[in-house]
Amino acid sequence: MKIGNQEIARILEDIADYLEMQGVAWKPAAYRRAAGGIAGLNQEVAAVYGAGGLKALMGVPGVGEAIALKIEELVKTGRLKYYDKLRKAVPVDLAGLSRVEGLGPKRIYFLYKKLKVKNLKDLERAVRSGKVQGLKGFGEKSGERIAKGLDFAKGSGKRFILGHVMPELEEIERRLRSVKGVKKATLAGSSRRMKETIGDADFLVVASDPEKVMDAFTKMPDVSRVLAKGDTKSMVRLASGLQVDVRVVPDGSYGSALNYFTGSKEHNVALRTMAEKRGWKLNEYGLWRGDKFLAGRTEEELYKAFGMEYVPPEMRENRGEIDLALAGKLPDIIGYGDLKGDLQTQSEWTDGEASIAEMAGAAIRAGLEYMAVTDHTKRLAMTHGLDEKRLAKQGKEIDELNAKYRKQHAKFRILKGTECDILKDGSLDLPDRALAGLDVVGVSVHSHFDLPRREQTERIIKAMKNPNVDILFHPTGRLIGKRPAYDVDMRAVIAEAKRTGTVLEIDALPERADLSDEYVRECVRAGVKMSIDSDAHAAGHFGFLKYGIAQARRGWATRADIINTYPLAKLLKFLGR
Ligand code: DGT
Ligand code: CA
Ligand code: CA
Ligand code: ZN
């Protein structure tokens, strides 16, 4: 079995840790340098060794003769006796334990000797029982720090919510672009495909001076740890815990590298298989027939060489997009500038932070032509939800604002709406006569999340049957990483939406992203209309809309599927107003 670079690097890191436990002086640093050099290598160590033996290994940044000999043993046998001996003496999960802030090799060793702590689980037990805090040389403060670090380490296998990390990633992209000699810098991976959560972030760079890029990248202020630094590849961990990789690639194969590192892996494999069937070869350096370079400078060129339409990153999941692109039949999915309005916003009348006028101002600046005010209803007492009387009063304020826009000849209209609570039995929190006076009625579930599936489904369907209801807001109620969707038969809900003409919302709030891309796809297939709403609670929240559009694109929705791409007159007609 061939041993990969990541594993070799990890073993060298572990050796460094073991040596540090023993109090060995400069050697740990040498092993760490070598590990970083290998992690940053753009070819397999095994291939380097195969081509040039021990000498070639010593050409890897940070690798001297002693370490080269150990790598040779690893490549040849898949094992390293020296490492096995160290591990046997102190059998601890170094990788896991070192993720805990405040735990270095010396302390890991100490905990092992005193409390037999071998892994995160043991550590958790020892922290809970107060044993760690009681250890001599481990004052109460560091015990507390370790307990905190433990919580974080346990969660660090977690995925990150796209909308929460995207602003920082955009900042990193700008930073990389501003480095001298950088020609291109682009976000790739799942964040380019705009997946609702990402595991790590991947950047590609074309630069005349890669060293400068790596220096700038590893020295960014929000970097908490440099995991690898090489000539063409570096990896860091940000203070948020998010890992970010950067690779410098040749300009001539930028397109194929971007395609490869954008993924998804499944899409890549399908493309590569197709290439092989034609007797071609596809890798991150290009598309080849024998030694002849066919394409790879740009992604457009690459897809064209296959005789395909360009596939937008959001669609690259090998869910049928390849056949459609080959046939020239990809759907014309909604674009990021296509929304004309927003149909779910909250104001300071309930739990929003801004006045209706302030929200409208922000919506206008976001390029929208209409916005529905959909404050909560009285059942949500903690949000100071509206009853019929306050709703009517709010309507007057909206009329006055609209009159003002008309006078200024501003092309903007505030719609009167509600986010009306669906009560336990499926009835609504406002009387029909109040709903009938509104421009747009949204309904949603905010309580009794634990009803049995049948009851939950019937409750929601009953609300959808009310002829005043236009949109079901955040249809599954999930909060990513916090609360799963309530148990509801979405197939039945989608069928009912088709029957009653109810719109299903794609709530763009990053932790909601509700509908998911799969449900968007099912709505498209069923011919059910959707809306993309920010669920804004503050003037700055209209920026969330792009994540909702991304979700719609990932579900292959076109403009026609999304009702708030319609101009106002068409929207009002659709809503029957
Ligand atoms: P993530 O980070 O879990 O949210 O998902 P990705 O898609 O960003 O995955 P990541 O970071 O492991 O790798 C970035 C891209 O590199 C991935 O989308 C496709 C490509 N890639 C990674 N590993 C492989 C592989 O084993 N085979 C192929 N064909 N492509 C790969
Ligand atoms: Ca990634
Ligand atoms: Ca990655
Ligand atoms: Zn809600």
Side-chain angles (χ1 to χ4, degrees):
M1 201 187 66
K2 233 170 51 190
I3 187 163
N5 290 8
Q6 295 310 322
E7 200 177 346
I8 296 177
R10 191 185 49 77
I11 289 173
L12 296 178
E13 289 274 4
D14 281 4
I15 293 177
D17 285 352
Y18 282 125
L19 293 173
E20 204 174 317
M21 287 179 193
Q22 296 168 9
V24 175
W26 50 271
K27 269 187 175 174
Y31 274 95
R32 291 214 172 91
R33 266 199 305 278
I38 283 167
L41 215 58
N42 66 348
Q43 52 178 320
E44 288 294 312
V45 171
V48 172
Y49 178 72
L54 204 58
K55 233 202 189 121
L57 286 181
M58 286 163 68
V60 174
V63 175
E65 189 174 4
I67 296 180
L69 281 165
K70 299 209 161 58
I71 298 173
E72 179 179 44
E73 188 182 330
L74 275 170
V75 170
K76 276 166 100 175
T77 69
R79 312 200 42 186
L80 178 58
K81 287 204 189 93
Y82 177 60
Y83 176 55
D84 291 344
K85 213 171 74 193
L86 291 168
R87 216 163 33 158
K88 212 169 147 203
V90 187
V92 295
D93 170 18
L94 276 172
L97 289 169
S98 345
R99 285 213 310 268
V100 178
E101 193 73 33
L103 263 196
K106 288 233 168 86
R107 285 194 157 164
I108 292 175
Y109 185 55
F110 193 66
L111 287 170
Y112 171 70
K113 291 287 266 189
K114 299 277 175 195
L115 302 173
K116 289 274 162 284
V117 167
K118 287 184 185 169
N119 48 40
L120 288 173
K121 241 195 194 146
D122 296 343
L123 178 63
E124 186 166 19
R125 220 172 294 137
V127 166
R128 274 233 199 92
S129 65
K131 278 188 186 149
V132 173
Q133 293 87 328
L135 271 183
K136 244 194 161 154
F138 247 86
E140 194 148 323
K141 265 244 173 78
S142 33
E144 255 168 49
R145 242 180 85 209
I146 285 168
K148 249 199 210 139
L150 184 62
D151 282 342
F152 191 74
K154 275 192 304 181
S156 73
K158 228 172 45 189
R159 298 179 65 81
F160 290 75
I161 293 174
L162 181 71
H164 292 175
V165 293
M166 195 50 119
E168 194 176 12
L169 295 179
E170 284 166 350
E171 176 67 37
I172 292 174
E173 194 174 64
R174 274 193 295 276
R175 230 183 259 273
L176 288 170
R177 282 183 182 157
S178 72
V179 175
K180 214 175 151 219
V182 166
K183 211 169 142 193
K184 291 167 188 155
T186 319
L187 197 51
S190 49
S191 25
R192 182 162 179 248
R193 303 199 312 281
M194 298 291 276
K195 244 183 112 155
E196 61 197 27
T197 64
I198 65 166
D200 69 2
D202 310 271
F203 283 95
L204 288 191
V205 176
V206 173
S208 55
D209 187 352
E211 210 180 318
K212 264 212 177 76
V213 175
M214 297 313 183
D215 283 341
F217 179 69
T218 51
K219 283 186 186 131
M220 296 185 302
D222 30 5
V223 168
S224 75
R225 209 168 150 186
V226 178
L227 303 170
K229 188 181 176 197
D231 295 343
T232 58
K233 181 182 168 192
S234 292
M235 299 190 279
V236 299
R237 192 172 301 290
L238 302 179
S240 62
L242 179 68
Q243 184 183 316
V244 184
D245 301 351
V246 69
R247 289 181 180 79
V248 176
V249 300
D251 205 8
S253 45
Y254 180 70
S256 33
L258 184 57
N259 188 252
Y260 181 88
F261 290 110
T262 294
S264 66
K265 195 170 158 182
E266 292 72 20
H267 180 87
N268 290 354
V269 168
L271 283 184
R272 204 170 50 218
T273 310
M274 192 163 73
E276 279 159 10
K277 274 196 191 134
R278 299 181 187 185
W280 301 346
K281 203 179 122 193
L282 176 67
N283 56 30
E284 60 262 54
Y285 299 105
L287 180 64
W288 313 80
R289 185 174 55 225
D291 285 341
K292 190 172 154 44
F293 178 84
L294 297 179
R297 275 171 294 257
T298 64
E299 280 192 324
E300 284 78 3
E301 176 185 283
L302 190 66
Y303 284 110
K304 204 168 157 207
F306 276 113
M308 298 166 74
E309 284 181 285
Y310 176 81
V311 182
E314 295 89 337
M315 293 182 74
R316 299 182 195 167
E317 300 289 346
N318 196 27
R319 294 178 185 163
E321 75 278 10
I322 291 181
D323 284 342
L324 285 177
L326 280 167
K329 287 184 178 154
L330 279 182
D332 184 14
I333 58 175
I334 177 177
Y336 284 98
D338 282 343
L339 289 186
K340 296 224 160 40
D342 190 336
L343 299 176
Q344 193 197 154
T345 69
Q346 275 83 31
S347 75
E348 64 185 5
W349 280 75
T350 58
D351 61 347
E353 281 171 21
S355 68
I356 296 175
E358 284 164 342
M359 292 299 282
I364 291 168
R365 284 192 298 281
L368 300 179
E369 294 171 12
Y370 53 88
M371 164 193 108
V373 175
T374 56
D375 276 303
H376 291 293
T377 53
K378 59 185 186 297
R379 156 85 192 38
L380 282 186
M382 70 277 195
T383 69
H384 199 38
L386 305 184
D387 57 14
E388 196 180 352
K389 231 170 109 190
R390 283 183 71 221
L391 185 67
K393 214 172 140 203
Q394 181 182 68
K396 288 222 177 76
E397 183 180 322
I398 292 174
D399 285 337
E400 281 163 23
L401 283 166
N402 279 332
K404 211 175 82 190
Y405 298 135
R406 254 196 314 276
K407 231 158 90 199
Q408 295 167 347
H409 302 287
K411 194 181 175 187
F412 190 78
R413 167 97 171 262
I414 305 173
L415 302 178
K416 292 176 202 165
T418 180
E419 176 173 7
C420 187
D421 236 58
I422 301 177
L423 305 179
K424 190 180 176 195
D425 67 354
S427 61
L428 298 177
D429 197 21
L430 284 173
D432 281 333
R433 59 168 186 274
L435 299 177
L438 297 172
D439 298 314
V440 52
V441 172
V443 293
S444 54
V445 167
H446 292 117
S447 61
H448 304 286
F449 297 122
D450 52 0
L451 291 182
R453 185 180 180 86
R454 231 192 74 198
E455 232 173 292
Q456 192 69 275
T457 307
E458 277 170 8
R459 168 196 191 191
I460 292 170
I461 283 179
K462 181 172 168 199
M464 291 166 77
K465 281 187 171 141
N466 183 317
N468 291 308
V469 170
D470 300 302
I471 310 177
L472 176 62
F473 285 164
H474 47 77
T476 78
R478 69 157 174 186
L479 289 176
I480 299 172
K482 277 192 206 135
R483 188 175 76 206
Y486 32 75
D487 196 5
V488 58
D489 180 354
M490 278 302 287
R491 211 150 265 195
V493 169
I494 290 170
E496 187 65 22
K498 177 68 185 167
R499 219 181 53 75
T500 54
T502 310
V503 172
L504 299 187
E505 184 191 56
I506 301 172
D507 191 307
L509 200 72
E511 57 268 38
R512 284 200 185 274
D514 182 9
L515 300 169
S516 68
D517 53 4
E518 279 107 345
Y519 286 140
V520 173
R521 187 85 187 277
E522 286 192 27
C523 285
V524 170
R525 281 208 195 98
V528 165
K529 302 285 183 206
M530 290 163 278
S531 65
I532 298 173
D533 307 325
S534 66
D535 200 350
H537 283 67
H541 289 177
F542 291 99
F544 293 153
L545 284 171
K546 79 169 179 196
Y547 305 112
I549 298 171
Q551 198 81 323
R553 286 168 65 82
R554 291 180 54 81
W556 303 15
T558 65
R559 272 192 305 271
D561 296 315
I562 308 292
I563 64 164
N564 50 328
T565 62
Y566 303 168
L568 182 64
K570 184 174 170 189
L571 175 86
L572 291 175
K573 202 167 150 218
F574 174 88
L575 294 171
R577 263 56 173 209

